[in-house]
Amino acid sequence: MDFEEFLLKVGKNIQKVRKDKGLTQENMDEGDYAVPVRTLQDIEAGRANFTANSIFKLSKRLKVKPRDLLDI
């Protein structure tokens, strides 16, 4: 697996977890640990090299462990 494929798989995993929780991308941009919609769109599409801070915020917002988002 190359890096681009890794980003895409992690992004799709984040998207799946978010949808399983019944949240929209807009919902993720609200409240504590908000992630901007554009940032989330780029991460889910595999276009962004996410940061540890992004994974931390996403895991807190989705109420999962960071490893659950990275487990591909």
Side-chain angles (χ1 to χ4, degrees):
M1 169 182 343
D2 64 9
F3 186 65
E4 288 77 24
E5 186 178 355
F6 171 74
L7 289 178
L8 185 60
K9 285 185 175 189
V10 170
K12 293 300 177 195
N13 190 44
I14 290 169
Q15 183 180 51
K16 181 186 181 315
V17 171
R18 176 181 58 78
K19 286 182 175 181
D20 287 350
K21 299 269 184 180
L23 296 169
T24 65
Q25 290 176 333
E26 290 77 18
N27 294 142
M28 299 294 289
D29 197 6
E30 302 168 353
D32 294 336
Y33 306 108
V35 177
V37 172
R38 185 68 183 146
T39 300
L40 184 56
Q41 288 171 339
D42 287 344
I43 291 171
E44 288 184 355
R47 294 187 301 259
N49 184 1
F50 50 81
T51 64
N53 187 43
S54 295
I55 293 296
F56 175 79
K57 285 181 177 182
L58 288 166
S59 70
K60 288 294 190 181
R61 188 75 181 90
L62 293 168
K63 297 181 173 109
V64 296
K65 294 180 179 181
R67 71 173 176 215
D68 295 335
L69 301 178
L70 298 172
D71 187 19
I72 54 171

